[in-house]
Amino acid sequence: MKNVRRVKIGNVYIGGGEKIAIQSMTTAPTSDAQKTIKQIHELEEHGCDIVRVAVPDMAAAEAIYEIKNNINIPLVADIHFDYRLALAAMERGVDKIRINPGNIGDEDRARIVAEEAKRRGIPIRIGVNGGSLDKRLLEKYGSATPEAMVESAKEHVQILEKFGFYDTVISIKSSDVKKTIQAYRLAREAFAYPLHLGVTEAGTYKSGIIKSSIGIGSLLADGIGETIRVSLTDDPVHEVDSAKLILKSLGLMEQGIEVVSCPTCARCQIDLIPIAKEISERLENIEGRLKVAVMGCAVNGPGEAKDADIGIAGGRGEALLFKKGEIIGKISEDKIIETLLDEIDKMKG
Ligand code: SF4
């Protein structure tokens, strides 16, 4: 695998063997600094590493100073076409900009942006999107193929390199999962710059999470990608939560307390699904290295969850409590959640 360049975004590094950074994007109007700051604080609490705001106009660029000074994670300004907005955002302390240097008019503007970003140590993300590919490339390739998208990225990269700028991050997104995977594979061969992974317009909660997990997950499993964003038509905190689960599933992030639960079957005689959901939610951001099993029956439960540190196995209106596969007690159904959480608390301490 290529040695990927290490790029500094505020106080976070990506590439060069650093941990995979989770990104998300605010939905409040950026010009409303207070609303945007509130949303970023929520994203921080959920574990977002880098946050992006759209900068569609000067009012948004002007709000960056206040936003930047009231948050704790690096801030990225998303800019289309207008190089003056990029300059204004950099002047107000943004940590990274997303702009395509080939789309901002003549090269002189790209030079001004590249030089200013270099002077301030601000990286630039080139974001190629299958839906807005240059006409010339669409004609050459017939459609927004992975090759066409990578060629577009190369053109933008070359503009920055011409001006001596190398702190570049690249994304090549398509709403088609297979095309996205193929494009990033080609991009990894073509570039040593960090890759920002994502499936664009992935959709609403369920389909968006599935598409992103397949697209981002298969690339990460192959060692491709340095930072990720799950795009959802939903509250962005779900983007961060899903990104964490993708990373945890691939062993790319400390697991914390892992909850395994059985799918239930006709042997299950307790209302297991809400119990498993509540236990998972309440343990979500708790530190520790435990595996907790929530199983539907005593016939197979403890056996199926042999490697769990602690767990319950449902019976009729009650559950058995087990540790390391050994049954150590009985709990009535209404006390399962609290008892299990208490026991976990003791084990952590
Ligand atoms: S643990 Fe019991 S209830 Fe759950 S799937 Fe296995 S056999 Fe069915």
Side-chain angles (χ1 to χ4, degrees):
M1 191 57 63
K2 246 193 187 76
N3 275 336
V4 175
R5 186 182 174 90
R6 189 164 174 259
V7 170
K8 182 178 185 293
I9 302 156
N11 55 3
V12 170
Y13 287 87
I14 59 169
E18 296 287 339
K19 76 177 183 74
I20 312 285
I22 296 174
Q23 306 209 21
S24 186
M25 194 167 178
T26 54
T27 52
T30 308
S31 53
D32 187 336
Q34 285 315 311
K35 263 197 186 151
T36 305
I37 291 166
K38 188 166 171 277
Q39 212 177 17
I40 294 175
H41 287 166
E42 278 173 44
L43 292 170
E44 285 177 0
E45 275 165 31
H46 281 251
C48 183
D49 296 308
I50 299 168
V51 69
R52 179 159 47 117
V53 294
V55 178
D57 50 34
M58 211 35 102
E62 274 163 9
I64 281 180
Y65 181 79
E66 193 179 345
I67 297 169
K68 172 67 194 158
N69 283 302
N70 286 286
I71 62 170
N72 307 296
I73 54 176
L75 183 66
V76 184
D78 191 286
I79 294 147
H80 288 264
F81 312 120
D82 191 341
Y83 82 111
R84 287 164 303 182
L85 295 176
L87 297 178
M90 289 194 271
E91 206 175 296
R92 286 163 181 81
V94 86
D95 298 297
K96 177 179 163 198
I97 52 171
R98 184 255 164 156
I99 195 163
N100 290 348
N103 294 353
I104 55 177
D106 57 41
E107 273 201 4
D108 213 35
R109 292 178 179 176
R111 181 183 55 74
I112 293 170
V113 170
E115 283 174 357
E116 189 60 11
K118 194 172 174 181
R119 193 176 72 78
R120 293 179 182 270
I122 295 173
I124 296 178
R125 170 157 71 92
I126 290 168
V128 173
N129 194 318
S132 57
L133 213 57
D134 197 83
K135 248 197 189 148
R136 187 177 36 82
L137 289 170
L138 286 176
E139 274 162 23
K140 180 175 169 188
Y141 288 92
S143 65
T145 61
E147 290 77 10
M149 291 193 280
V150 172
E151 185 164 330
S152 170
K154 276 186 192 159
E155 291 177 358
H156 293 300
V157 164
Q158 278 159 8
I159 296 172
L160 293 181
E161 288 179 345
K162 188 167 155 187
F163 302 122
F165 189 89
Y166 300 98
D167 277 341
T168 306
V169 180
I170 300 167
S171 67
I172 303 183
K173 301 184 184 180
S174 164
S175 54
D176 180 306
V177 179
K178 279 165 89 175
K179 270 190 196 164
T180 302
I181 295 172
Q182 193 51 31
Y184 275 105
R185 285 186 179 150
L186 293 174
R188 180 71 310 149
E189 283 168 26
F191 308 110
Y193 294 118
L195 297 177
H196 164 121
L197 303 185
V199 178
T200 195
E201 292 117 32
T204 49
Y205 189 76
K206 208 196 292 177
S207 70
I209 290 175
I210 291 175
K211 276 185 166 185
S212 298
S213 305
I214 296 170
I216 295 172
S218 30
L219 289 161
L220 289 176
D222 284 345
I224 298 171
E226 283 63 45
T227 178
I228 65 173
R229 187 217 171 174
V230 173
S231 302
L232 296 178
T233 313
D234 209 316
D235 185 329
V237 296
H238 298 311
E239 298 186 348
V240 175
D241 292 344
S242 321
K244 280 166 79 178
L245 285 173
I246 293 173
L247 294 180
K248 283 178 180 176
S249 310
L250 290 165
L252 293 168
M253 188 176 180
E254 181 97 5
Q255 183 63 256
I257 297 184
E258 183 185 3
V259 179
V260 295
S261 54
C262 85
T264 77
C265 71
R267 289 187 196 91
C268 183
Q269 290 181 316
I270 55 167
D271 195 8
L272 191 78
I273 297 171
I275 294 175
K277 274 190 185 159
E278 185 167 346
I279 289 174
S280 290
E281 274 160 26
R282 289 179 57 181
L283 291 173
E284 204 168 69
N285 290 318
I286 308 280
E287 306 225 334
R289 276 169 177 265
L290 289 177
K291 191 165 184 176
V292 178
V294 183
M295 309 301 280
C297 77
V299 181
N300 291 343
E304 282 175 16
K306 270 198 300 295
D307 60 339
D309 297 291
I310 185 163
I312 60 109
R316 191 187 291 268
E318 60 184 17
L320 297 174
L321 181 65
F322 63 87
K323 273 189 186 169
K324 308 272 182 202
E326 300 286 325
I327 293 164
I328 56 158
K330 229 180 223 181
I331 323 163
S332 66
E333 186 165 353
D334 58 327
K335 302 236 162 41
I336 293 175
I337 295 171
E338 295 314 321
T339 310
L340 190 56
L341 292 173
D342 277 355
E343 287 294 325
I344 291 166
D345 208 38
K346 282 187 218 152
M347 287 172 88
K348 285 196 298 125

